[in-house]
Amino acid sequence: MNYQILFGSYPIPRFAGIASHNFVVMCDETGRPIFEINGGASNSDGSFNYCAIRGPLTAVVTDYAHRDLRYFPEFYLRPTSITSLLLEGSYSSVAARWRAAVDLAERIRQSGLRYSFWLQNSNSVASAVTEAMKLTPPSAAVGRVKAPGSYRRLILDAA
């Protein structure tokens, strides 16, 4: 097996599993997650706000080797998460794409954008980092009801 980049969706129980939280994950050649990128809102102390309705929009890169769920969420391992393969290849080809996603995550974190459930949220971040890797979010995981914000283009300053 090669390294992989997966697009994930976690059906949010609070919304009867109709709306989802989207994320992106990189797995090693055995299928284990190495890194994950989640969008959402951050709390004033910088921790990830799992129940966000407002706050600064953030993009968090979780390193599975250094786990801290308060600051670095993990959705890939949840039993209800669904994933779609975006890319499979050698470490160098996958890592090059992943680097673009990490760079965009940092720009989002520094952007000053505000979280909005309907407009710019975890799904906007997942779509944006996927597109930064020159990949396409799977149609089954995006949509105005299924993944609010997934079609929203984040307005970031040119880098």
Side-chain angles (χ1 to χ4, degrees), residues 17-117:
I18 296 168
S20 294
H21 164 81
N22 290 340
F23 58 93
V24 183
V25 64
M26 179 178 167
C27 295
D28 68 14
E29 69 278 0
T30 66
R32 288 181 307 200
I34 306 171
F35 301 107
E36 184 175 319
I37 297 177
N38 284 282
S42 61
N43 295 313
S44 58
D45 68 354
S47 61
F48 191 80
N49 185 339
Y50 286 92
C51 298
I53 57 169
R54 68 178 61 92
L57 183 67
T58 192
V60 177
V61 180
T62 300
D63 179 344
Y64 273 76
H66 305 286
R67 292 174 155 168
D68 181 348
L69 294 178
R70 186 175 157 161
Y71 293 94
F72 305 104
E74 300 171 3
F75 286 89
Y76 178 71
L77 297 177
R78 295 177 184 211
T80 56
S81 289
I82 301 162
T83 58
S84 299
L85 179 66
L86 293 177
L87 178 72
E88 184 171 14
S90 67
Y91 173 78
S92 60
S93 66
V94 169
R97 300 276 186 116
W98 191 257
R99 180 77 249 163
V102 170
D103 290 346
L104 184 64
E106 179 60 26
R107 286 183 56 212
I108 292 168
R109 220 177 1 268
Q110 301 300 322
S111 71
L113 293 173
R114 303 294 296 169
Y115 177 92
S116 166
F117 179 79

Side-chain angles (χ1 to χ4, degrees), residues 132-151:
M133 293 185 285
K134 302 203 181 326
L135 301 169
T136 303
S139 59
V142 297
R144 292 181 191 348
V145 175
K146 171 109 177 113
S150 59
Y151 287 105

